[in-house]
Amino acid sequence: MGITASTTTGTDKLPEGDSESVSPQVVNVADYGVLPNGEDSTLALKAALEASKAKGATRLVFPKGRYEFFPDFADEAYLYASNNDEGLKRIVFPLVGFENLTIDGQGSEFVFHGFVNPFVVEDSSRIAFEDFSVDFSRPFHSEGIIVEEHDDGMDVRIPEEFPFRVRNGLLVFIGGEQEEGMLTTVSRGGVYGSGHLLEFDTEKRQTAYMARDYYFNGTASYPARNLGNGVVRLLIPGLVGTPGNTLVFGPNHRDHPAFVVTRSEDVSFESIVLHHAGGMGILAQLSHNIRVNNCKVTPSHGRMLSTTADATHFVNCTGYIKLTNNLFENQKDDATNIHGIYVQVVEVTEPNEVLVQLKHRQQHGFDFLHSGVKVEFVHGKSMISFGEAVVKESTRINKEFTRVVFERDMPEDLEVGDVLASIRDYPEVTISGNTIRNNRARGMLINSRGRTVVEDNYFHTPGAAILFEGDSFFWFEQGGVRDCVIRNNVFDNCLFGVWGKAVIDVRAGILEDREKSRYNRNIRIENNTFRIFDEVSLLHAYCVDGLIWENNTVEKTDAYPPLDKSFKRFDISYSDNVIIDGEPYVKD
Amino acid sequence: MGITASTTTGTDKLPEGDSESVSPQVVNVADYGVLPNGEDSTLALKAALEASKAKGATRLVFPKGRYEFFPDFADEAYLYASNNDEGLKRIVFPLVGFENLTIDGQGSEFVFHGFVNPFVVEDSSRIAFEDFSVDFSRPFHSEGIIVEEHDDGMDVRIPEEFPFRVRNGLLVFIGGEQEEGMLTTVSRGGVYGSGHLLEFDTEKRQTAYMARDYYFNGTASYPARNLGNGVVRLLIPGLVGTPGNTLVFGPNHRDHPAFVVTRSEDVSFESIVLHHAGGMGILAQLSHNIRVNNCKVTPSHGRMLSTTADATHFVNCTGYIKLTNNLFENQKDDATNIHGIYVQVVEVTEPNEVLVQLKHRQQHGFDFLHSGVKVEFVHGKSMISFGEAVVKESTRINKEFTRVVFERDMPEDLEVGDVLASIRDYPEVTISGNTIRNNRARGMLINSRGRTVVEDNYFHTPGAAILFEGDSFFWFEQGGVRDCVIRNNVFDNCLFGVWGKAVIDVRAGILEDREKSRYNRNIRIENNTFRIFDEVSLLHAYCVDGLIWENNTVEKTDAYPPLDKSFKRFDISYSDNVIIDGEPYVKD
C-alpha cells in the first residue's frame, strides 16, 4: 500500500473546465455546479463526490478559486472524534467508504461558514488531500485587545470581526450574520460559546510571557459590562494582562475539527493550509499510514489563533505517521500528540470477563475492543504491564461502558482500577523538517512504541518542546516509547510559558512502584541546539530506562526576562541507564 | 384497539416475590435483581425488560418500594422529541417495539439520578404505565430565596439541595456529588446549566404577581459574587423581585423529558405522579390514542417547580387524546399543547417537488413526510389552506431539510415561504376533571381539528387558561379547531401573570388577508364560571368563524391588586358568526 498523492503533486494540473476529456478518472467539480461564485457549494459537492465514487474516479479537481460551504445542506452524522467533542455534525466532505481518491484543490480556498465540520474520512483507503486552504468566515474563538486592567477585571476592545452582545450582565459571542429571533424558553441561538481565556503578545504573535490559562468550566459566556464602541469591561476577579496584548477567548468545545480520519488507510495531506478549525486540525484514529507534508497550520486575516486545539493528533494508529516539512503555529494546543487509549476496569465479572469504561469524556465512543484485538493489562497506579489477552467478544453497553470477554482467563492479580490498551502495530513516527512555534502549550507529544525519529525541526514553544507522557487517572493516554531519537533540532527559547518543566520532558503517571516501573525506554537525544534565556531545565526524566544525551549545544540568550525560580539543567529521577555526555548519570 | 390498563388498574395486585406462580404473563422485576435497596437498578431492569419481551409478558410488576436509576449502564440513543431538545440520551426504560405491556409500579417511587431520560416508548402498542412516581434526586432547575434587591442585581439564598459554585465571577449550578477534576482545556463537568429566571410567590406557591421571564439565550451561568453562607449576589442589571419570594433558575435545555412516546398506539398513564423532569412530563408524537388519567404533575421535597417545561404535549397525534382527572401544577410551562407541525417551503424544484425545512430548532428530526402522507398547502402569511397533495417519496437531507416529491403537481400559486402540514385523523380531544394551577404561562393549548371537549376543569393560571394558536413564522405549529366545546369549567382568577390577553385567547399567526382568513372555527363556550380580580378580558378572538358564548357566570374577587390597564371583556376582531349571549357580536 503506497500513498499515491505525493508522487503526483505538482504535476498533471488540469485545464479548468475541461477535465472530462483528460481522463475518465478525473472529476472536475465545476461539472457538478461547484463554483467559486460566492454561493454555497455544499449540495453540488455532494453530487460530485457521489459521481466520483460511482465512476471510480481517482482525482476530484477544484479549479483554483474560493469556494463557500454552509451547514444547511451538509450530510449529518453522529461523530466520535477522540480528544475532540462528540456530537451530531454537519459534514461537508463526507468521505465514507472511498478508495483511491485525491482531492486536488489546485491552490483553492475552502471557506466554511457556521457550525460545520469540513472533512470526515471513514473506512476509506488511499485518500490524498492536496493544495488547498481551509478557513472559517467566523472563527469559533474571538479576540480582543487589552485596554486596561481594573480592580474588578479588565477592559478589552473587541474588533468587529468577532461579533458579540452584552445582555443581562453576560458577554456572549455570536455569529453576527443572522438576526436573533424573539427570546423564549426554548431559545438558544447562534452563540459562539467561549470558556477559556489566554493572553497573547500582540507584537511577538505568541502566548504572552508566562501567561496562564483561565478556565470557565461548563459555561459559555463571561460576566461583563458593555462600555460601548467595542469596549467591554470583563468582570472577572483576578484576571490580569498587559495593555496592548491580545486576549483570546477560546471556544468551550472542540466540536468542529477540520479533518477527522477514522478506520482508514494511507491518508496523506500535501500542501494544505489550515487557517482555522473549531477543534483540532487533523485527528486520525484507528488508522494506518498517515502522512502530513508541506502543510501549514497558521492564522488568517491577522487573527492571533489558527486551530483552537492541537494541530494534529493520532490515536491508536498503526503503520507510519510522517509529519514532514510543516509549519505549525499559533494553534491553541500542541503541534501533535501520538498515543493510545486505556480503558479502566470497573468490574471483574468472570475470570475471563470484565466491564471496562472509557473514562475521559473525549474518548467516549472510542470502540476498539473488537474480537481478535490483543490487549495489555496495566496496573493503574504503577503503570506496569502485567499480562496480555485476546478479545473473544465484546458487548457495548453505551459510549462509555463495554463488557469484554477474553479467549483465556485474565491475570489473577487484575484489579478494579487497572487499565487495558490494545497492543498493535505501533506506528513508526517520523517528525522532520517542521517549524513549531507560538502555539499554546507544548510542541510534540511523543507516545508511540514504534520507532520514533524527531529530527531537523525548529521549536519555539512556550511549554515543553517535546513531551512524553501516559497515565491512567486523567487523560488515560497510552504511551511509552521503546526506540526514540531526537536529533539535529533547534530548541529556540522554549519554556517562556507555564506548560512544562523542561525543554524535553519525559513523564509518566506513575504513582506507585516508581522504583521499578520504567515507562519510557531507549531515548537518544543528540546533536541538538538548545537556545535558552535562563538556566531552564533542558531535560526532565522520570521512570525512564535507557537515555543517552550526546553532543548537544547550549546557547544562552536574553530573549526573555530571567525566571524567578531555579532549575536543574538535568532533572532525572527513578531512571536507569541514563548516559549524559558519555557518563552514567548520578543523581546529586 | 383498546387500552387494557384502565380496566385492570387497582385489581390483580400481585404478592411480592411470587409473581411467576401467578401468571406466566407477569414478570416481577425482583426476579431479575431490580430491588428497592438503594442500588442502581438500571442494568437489572434491562434484563427484566428483555425477559418481558421474550416471554410475551403483559405486566412488569415492581413490588412497592423506592428504586434508583443512574445513567451509567442505561441504553443510549439519539432522541428527537418535539418541543424538547434532541441529543444522545441515556434511557432507563427503552420500550422500543413492545406490544401489550403494563408497567405496574404498585405505588413505587422511581428516583432518577443525573443526566438521564426515564422513559422512551417507540414503535410500540398497548403500553400502560400505572401507579408509580417519577422524581430526580438533583432536579435540573435550582431555586433560591430572594434576600434583597440591589442597584446592580439581587441577593439570593440558595439552599443546600441546589449545589452551586461561584468562580471567575460566574454562578454555576452543579450536581454536588462527584468531585470535579482538574480544569483543563477539555473540562466541562457535571454542570446543571441554567438560562432562565422566574420569580415565584413563596407563600402562594405560584408565579409571583405579574412576574416576568428573564432569558439568558445561549448561556449556562450567571454573573455573580459569592457572599458566603449560601448567599449569592446576582449581578444582573434590572433584575427585580420581592424579598422572601423564590427565584427559580430554569435549566437552559429540555434534554430530559420524563416520557417520550413516538410512533406508538394505545398508550395510557394511570395514577402516575410526576415530580420532576428536565423538560416535559409527557411528550407524545406521531402516536395514536393516548390517555392520561388520575395522574399528578406536582413538585416534591418542598420544591417550587415540578417539570421544567409543559406537563403534557402532543404533536401530530391521531385517534384520541384523553386528559382526565389529573392535577397539573407548578410545571414551568403549559399544562398541555396539542398541535401539528408545519414545514416551510424553501425551494420549488419541480412542479411536483419541493425542498422543505423544519424551521423550529426543537422540531428538527421530526420526519413525517413519508410516502402516502396527505398534506395541505398553506400560505405562510395568511395561513389560508389552498390545496392538498399526497407524498410520493421523500429524501431526508438532514434533520432540517427534506426533498419531497408529490404524486401530482402542486398548486401553481405555491411560493417559497408557504408551509405544509399533514392532513390526518386529527385527534378527538377530551380534557375533563383536571386541575391546572400555579404553573408558568398558560393552561391548555387547544389546536386539534378533531372534536375537542374541555369540561369540568379548574384553572388557576397566570396566563390564558385556554389558548388557541398556530403560525408559520416562529413556532410553526399547526392548529385550527373545527369543533370545540368549553363547558362547566371554573376559571379562578387567571391572568395574574404576563402570559395572555384573555382568559380564553383564540389567536392565529395571520399577517395578511385577515379579512378572509378564518383559522379557528366552531367554538362553543358555555356554562363556565369566571372568577376575575379585575375587568380582565374573558375572551380574545381573532380570525374566528363561528363562536358561541352562552350562559357563563362572572364573579368579581379581590384576589390580586387591580391591573394598571384597561381591558375589553370581549376583544373580538376579524371574525364571523360570533354569538355572545344569544346576540350576534357587533364590534364597537
Side-chain angles (χ1 to χ4, degrees):
Chain A
M1 289 174 292
I3 296 284
T4 61
S6 57
T7 58
T8 57
T9 302
T11 61
D12 299 333
K13 295 291 185 195
L14 296 161
E16 291 188 16
D18 192 25
S19 60
E20 298 288 352
S21 61
V22 175
S23 160
Q25 293 191 296
V26 175
V27 166
N28 184 330
V29 295
D31 295 337
Y32 294 85
V34 178
L35 300 170
N37 60 359
E39 306 272 304
D40 179 13
S41 287
T42 308
L43 209 49
L45 171 68
K46 199 159 143 182
L49 284 171
E50 282 165 9
S52 300
K53 198 183 235 178
K55 290 181 179 186
T58 57
R59 188 167 280 265
L60 183 68
V61 173
F62 287 75
K64 185 171 181 175
R66 176 185 152 132
Y67 297 87
E68 321 289 326
F69 301 102
F70 288 77
D72 304 66
F73 304 124
D75 264 25
E76 205 167 51
Y78 200 92
L79 189 69
Y80 292 102
S82 185
N83 297 74
N84 289 267
D85 286 324
E86 65 180 85
L88 191 73
K89 314 289 182 182
R90 293 286 170 89
I91 300 160
V92 174
F93 286 79
L95 298 166
V96 181
F98 276 77
E99 252 188 74
N100 192 11
L101 180 69
T102 295
I103 307 285
D104 178 1
Q106 303 206 338
S108 292
E109 298 167 62
F110 294 169
V111 181
F112 297 85
H113 303 265
F115 302 100
V116 72
N117 285 49
F119 295 86
V120 168
V121 180
E122 218 170 277
D123 300 314
S124 295
S125 65
R126 288 186 290 158
I127 304 298
F129 298 101
E130 288 182 19
D131 204 14
F132 58 83
S133 69
V134 171
D135 204 355
F136 281 77
S137 55
R138 200 291 179 220
F140 293 99
H141 76 283
S142 298
E143 302 178 7
I145 301 297
I146 298 170
V147 177
E148 56 178 329
E149 290 182 329
H150 283 283
D151 285 349
D152 47 1
M154 170 192 289
D155 294 351
V156 292
R157 183 181 306 278
I158 303 173
E160 276 181 13
E161 59 259 42
F162 305 105
F164 68 90
R165 61 170 157 74
V166 179
R167 192 156 55 204
N168 286 330
L170 289 172
L171 166 66
V172 177
F173 290 99
I174 56 179
E177 284 160 14
Q178 70 276 52
E179 243 181 284
E180 291 189 67
M182 76 191 217
L183 285 181
T184 73
T185 40
V186 302
S187 294
R188 202 166 290 175
V191 167
Y192 283 70
S194 180
H196 177 253
L197 297 179
L198 182 61
E199 181 191 356
F200 278 67
D201 187 313
T202 304
E203 289 301 312
K204 292 181 170 160
R205 292 189 57 75
Q206 57 188 224
T207 61
Y209 178 69
M210 292 297 152
R212 76 168 183 87
D213 296 293
Y214 292 85
Y215 292 114
F216 295 75
N217 184 13
T219 67
S221 59
Y222 302 98
R225 191 155 59 240
N226 197 344
L227 304 184
N229 296 317
V231 179
V232 170
R233 176 158 299 174
L234 295 168
L235 300 168
I236 300 166
L239 178 64
V240 293
T242 303
N245 271 354
T246 300
L247 192 67
V248 169
F249 301 82
N252 62 348
H253 64 81
R254 293 177 170 187
D255 278 341
H256 308 285
F259 293 88
V260 176
V261 178
T262 306
R263 291 183 306 275
S264 294
E265 289 189 352
D266 299 316
V267 179
S268 73
F269 301 83
E270 178 77 32
S271 303
I272 302 300
V273 181
L274 259 170
H275 290 307
H276 185 73
M280 293 178 178
I282 298 169
L283 180 278
Q285 54 191 351
L286 298 162
S287 291
H288 188 75
N289 293 351
I290 313 286
R291 177 170 178 173
V292 182
N293 182 52
N294 195 34
C295 294
K296 291 179 184 170
V297 172
T298 184
S300 61
H301 304 296
R303 295 174 192 158
M304 189 59 77
L305 219 65
S306 56
T307 60
T308 66
D310 304 18
T312 68
H313 200 111
F314 303 87
V315 186
N316 274 31
C317 286
T318 53
Y320 63 72
I321 293 169
K322 298 184 183 178
L323 303 178
T324 50
N325 311 312
N326 303 292
L327 171 65
F328 299 122
E329 66 178 3
N330 292 73
Q331 68 273 5
K332 206 173 72 58
D333 222 329
D334 316 316
T336 203
N337 187 352
I338 300 164
H339 64 88
I341 281 181
Y342 290 119
V343 294
Q344 191 179 59
V345 173
V346 293
E347 195 184 342
V348 178
T349 44
E350 300 284 346
N352 70 335
E353 186 187 288
V354 279
L355 184 65
V356 298
Q357 183 179 12
L358 287 156
K359 293 287 287 182
H360 192 280
R361 185 174 63 77
Q362 290 176 324
Q363 293 167 352
H364 289 172
F366 195 86
D367 301 326
F368 67 95
L369 291 164
H370 306 299
S371 169
V373 166
K374 194 172 179 185
V375 306
E376 60 166 342
F377 295 93
V378 180
H379 285 310
K381 290 194 172 160
S382 71
M383 300 299 290
I384 294 174
S385 291
F386 64 100
E388 298 181 358
V390 175
V391 175
K392 187 176 169 196
E393 58 184 29
S394 64
T395 312
R396 186 189 203 265
I397 294 173
N398 50 43
K399 66 181 179 182
E400 248 180 295
F401 292 95
T402 300
R403 195 180 294 284
V404 186
V405 179
F406 294 102
E407 290 186 349
R408 289 178 306 154
D409 286 359
M410 302 174 295
E412 282 190 2
D413 51 342
L414 180 69
E415 287 179 2
V416 167
D418 288 345
V419 295
L420 49 94
S422 73
I423 298 177
R424 56 198 184 280
D425 165 24
Y426 297 107
E428 277 199 31
V429 176
T430 308
I431 297 174
S432 76
N434 304 288
T435 295
I436 303 99
R437 64 186 182 199
N438 303 348
N439 57 300
R440 174 188 176 278
R442 290 79 49 107
M444 300 293 182
L445 276 65
I446 303 295
N447 304 300
S448 172
R449 297 182 190 173
R451 176 163 169 80
T452 298
V453 178
V454 181
E455 63 185 351
D456 300 323
N457 301 288
Y458 170 89
F459 291 89
H460 176 56
T461 53
I466 299 179
L467 175 65
F468 304 66
E469 57 174 10
D471 76 73
S472 61
F473 56 82
F474 186 82
W475 295 105
F476 291 88
E477 293 182 358
Q478 179 207 38
V481 298
R482 293 291 178 268
D483 179 1
C484 176
V485 180
I486 299 170
R487 64 186 169 213
N488 301 326
N489 300 286
V490 175
F491 298 100
D492 184 11
N493 291 293
C494 297
L495 293 181
F496 62 90
V498 298
W499 303 280
K501 292 182 74 156
V503 179
I504 297 174
D505 192 355
V506 191
R507 301 188 182 205
I510 293 165
L511 310 173
E512 254 179 34
D513 291 332
R514 45 176 71 85
E515 291 75 12
K516 62 180 178 178
S517 180
R518 297 292 173 260
Y519 197 72
N520 283 289
R521 301 181 199 164
N522 304 320
I523 300 170
R524 174 178 283 267
I525 302 167
E526 60 189 12
N527 299 320
N528 300 286
T529 300
F530 291 82
R531 294 190 196 124
I532 56 173
F533 64 93
D534 194 1
E535 282 299 331
V536 301
S537 286
L538 303 182
L539 174 68
H540 167 251
Y542 173 68
C543 293
V544 173
D545 183 5
L547 187 149
I548 294 170
W549 177 279
E550 210 165 63
N551 200 29
N552 296 293
T553 306
V554 179
E555 299 170 3
K556 285 294 295 291
T557 77
D558 56 2
Y560 298 96
L563 296 162
D564 191 20
K565 8 180 190 176
S566 67
F567 295 92
K568 291 195 283 188
R569 184 164 282 198
F570 299 99
D571 179 4
I572 297 166
S573 57
Y574 300 102
S575 296
D576 304 322
N577 305 308
V578 176
I579 311 285
I580 303 290
D581 294 327
E583 301 288 331
Y585 174 79
V586 183
K587 211 168 153 69
D588 336 310
Chain B
M1 289 175 292
I3 296 286
T4 60
S6 56
T7 59
T8 57
T9 303
T11 62
D12 300 331
K13 295 292 184 196
L14 297 160
E16 291 187 18
D18 191 25
S19 61
E20 298 289 350
S21 61
V22 175
S23 158
Q25 293 191 295
V26 174
V27 165
N28 185 331
V29 295
D31 295 339
Y32 294 85
V34 178
L35 300 171
N37 60 359
E39 306 272 305
D40 179 13
S41 287
T42 307
L43 209 49
L45 171 67
K46 199 159 142 181
L49 282 172
E50 281 165 8
S52 299
K53 198 184 233 179
K55 291 181 178 184
T58 56
R59 188 167 279 265
L60 184 68
V61 173
F62 287 76
K64 185 172 182 175
R66 177 184 151 133
Y67 296 87
E68 321 288 327
F69 301 102
F70 288 77
D72 305 67
F73 304 123
D75 263 25
E76 205 166 51
Y78 199 91
L79 189 68
Y80 292 102
S82 184
N83 296 73
N84 289 266
D85 286 326
E86 65 180 86
L88 193 73
K89 315 289 183 181
R90 295 286 171 90
I91 300 161
V92 174
F93 286 79
L95 298 166
V96 181
F98 275 78
E99 253 187 74
N100 192 11
L101 180 68
T102 295
I103 307 286
D104 178 1
Q106 303 205 338
S108 291
E109 298 167 65
F110 293 170
V111 181
F112 298 85
H113 303 266
F115 303 101
V116 73
N117 285 47
F119 294 86
V120 168
V121 181
E122 219 169 277
D123 300 314
S124 294
S125 64
R126 288 186 289 157
I127 303 298
F129 298 101
E130 289 182 18
D131 205 13
F132 58 83
S133 68
V134 171
D135 204 355
F136 281 79
S137 55
R138 199 296 179 214
F140 293 98
H141 76 283
S142 297
E143 303 177 9
I145 300 296
I146 299 170
V147 177
E148 56 177 330
E149 290 181 329
H150 282 283
D151 286 348
D152 47 2
M154 169 193 290
D155 293 352
V156 292
R157 183 182 305 278
I158 302 173
E160 275 180 14
E161 59 259 43
F162 305 105
F164 67 90
R165 60 170 157 75
V166 180
R167 191 156 55 206
N168 287 328
L170 290 173
L171 166 66
V172 177
F173 290 98
I174 56 179
E177 283 160 13
Q178 69 276 53
E179 242 181 285
E180 291 188 68
M182 78 193 215
L183 284 182
T184 73
T185 40
V186 303
S187 294
R188 202 165 291 175
V191 166
Y192 282 69
S194 180
H196 177 253
L197 298 178
L198 183 60
E199 181 190 359
F200 278 66
D201 186 312
T202 304
E203 290 300 311
K204 292 181 170 159
R205 293 189 57 73
Q206 58 189 223
T207 61
Y209 179 68
M210 291 297 149
R212 77 169 183 87
D213 296 293
Y214 292 85
Y215 291 113
F216 294 75
N217 185 12
T219 66
S221 57
Y222 301 99
R225 192 154 60 239
N226 198 344
L227 304 183
N229 295 316
V231 179
V232 171
R233 177 159 299 175
L234 295 168
L235 300 169
I236 300 167
L239 179 63
V240 293
T242 303
N245 271 353
T246 301
L247 192 67
V248 169
F249 301 82
N252 63 347
H253 64 80
R254 293 177 170 187
D255 278 339
H256 306 287
F259 293 87
V260 176
V261 179
T262 306
R263 291 184 306 274
S264 294
E265 290 188 352
D266 300 315
V267 179
S268 73
F269 301 84
E270 177 79 32
S271 304
I272 301 301
V273 181
L274 259 171
H275 289 308
H276 184 72
M280 293 180 179
I282 298 170
L283 180 278
Q285 54 191 353
L286 298 161
S287 290
H288 188 76
N289 293 351
I290 312 287
R291 177 170 176 172
V292 182
N293 182 53
N294 195 32
C295 292
K296 291 179 186 169
V297 172
T298 185
S300 61
H301 303 296
R303 296 174 191 157
M304 188 58 77
L305 218 65
S306 56
T307 60
T308 67
D310 305 17
T312 69
H313 200 112
F314 303 87
V315 186
N316 274 31
C317 286
T318 53
Y320 63 71
I321 294 170
K322 297 183 184 180
L323 304 178
T324 51
N325 311 312
N326 302 292
L327 170 66
F328 299 122
E329 65 179 4
N330 292 72
Q331 68 273 6
K332 205 172 72 58
D333 222 328
D334 315 315
T336 202
N337 186 352
I338 300 165
H339 65 88
I341 281 181
Y342 291 118
V343 294
Q344 192 179 58
V345 173
V346 292
E347 194 184 343
V348 178
T349 45
E350 300 285 344
N352 70 334
E353 187 187 287
V354 281
L355 185 64
V356 298
Q357 184 180 12
L358 287 155
K359 294 285 288 184
H360 191 280
R361 185 174 63 78
Q362 290 177 324
Q363 293 167 352
H364 289 173
F366 194 86
D367 301 327
F368 67 96
L369 292 165
H370 306 299
S371 170
V373 166
K374 194 172 178 183
V375 306
E376 60 166 343
F377 294 94
V378 180
H379 285 310
K381 291 196 170 161
S382 70
M383 301 298 287
I384 294 175
S385 291
F386 63 100
E388 299 182 356
V390 175
V391 176
K392 187 177 169 194
E393 58 184 30
S394 64
T395 312
R396 187 189 202 265
I397 293 172
N398 51 42
K399 67 181 178 181
E400 250 180 293
F401 292 94
T402 300
R403 196 179 293 284
V404 186
V405 179
F406 295 102
E407 290 186 349
R408 289 178 304 155
D409 286 359
M410 302 175 294
E412 283 191 1
D413 52 341
L414 180 70
E415 288 178 2
V416 167
D418 288 344
V419 296
L420 48 94
S422 73
I423 298 176
R424 57 197 185 278
D425 166 23
Y426 297 107
E428 276 197 33
V429 176
T430 307
I431 297 176
S432 75
N434 303 288
T435 295
I436 303 98
R437 64 186 182 198
N438 304 346
N439 56 300
R440 176 188 175 278
R442 290 77 51 102
M444 300 293 182
L445 276 64
I446 303 296
N447 305 299
S448 172
R449 298 182 190 173
R451 178 166 168 78
T452 298
V453 177
V454 182
E455 63 185 351
D456 301 324
N457 300 288
Y458 169 90
F459 291 89
H460 176 57
T461 53
I466 299 180
L467 175 66
F468 302 67
E469 58 173 8
D471 75 74
S472 61
F473 56 82
F474 187 79
W475 296 105
F476 291 88
E477 294 181 359
Q478 180 208 36
V481 298
R482 294 293 178 266
D483 179 2
C484 176
V485 179
I486 299 171
R487 66 187 168 212
N488 301 327
N489 299 286
V490 174
F491 298 101
D492 184 10
N493 291 294
C494 297
L495 293 181
F496 62 91
V498 298
W499 304 280
K501 292 182 75 156
V503 178
I504 297 176
D505 192 354
V506 191
R507 300 188 184 204
I510 292 166
L511 308 174
E512 254 180 33
D513 291 333
R514 45 177 70 85
E515 290 76 12
K516 61 179 179 178
S517 181
R518 297 291 173 263
Y519 197 71
N520 283 289
R521 303 182 198 164
N522 303 322
I523 300 170
R524 175 179 281 269
I525 303 167
E526 61 189 10
N527 299 322
N528 300 286
T529 300
F530 292 83
R531 293 187 196 128
I532 56 174
F533 64 93
D534 194 359
E535 281 300 328
V536 300
S537 285
L538 303 182
L539 174 68
H540 167 251
Y542 174 67
C543 294
V544 172
D545 183 8
L547 186 149
I548 294 170
W549 177 280
E550 209 166 63
N551 200 29
N552 296 293
T553 306
V554 178
E555 298 171 4
K556 288 295 295 293
T557 77
D558 56 1
Y560 297 96
L563 295 161
D564 191 21
K565 6 180 191 177
S566 67
F567 294 92
K568 289 194 285 187
R569 182 163 284 197
F570 299 99
D571 180 4
I572 297 167
S573 57
Y574 300 102
S575 296
D576 304 321
N577 303 310
V578 176
I579 311 286
I580 303 290
D581 293 327
E583 301 288 334
Y585 174 79
V586 182
K587 209 168 155 71
D588 337 309

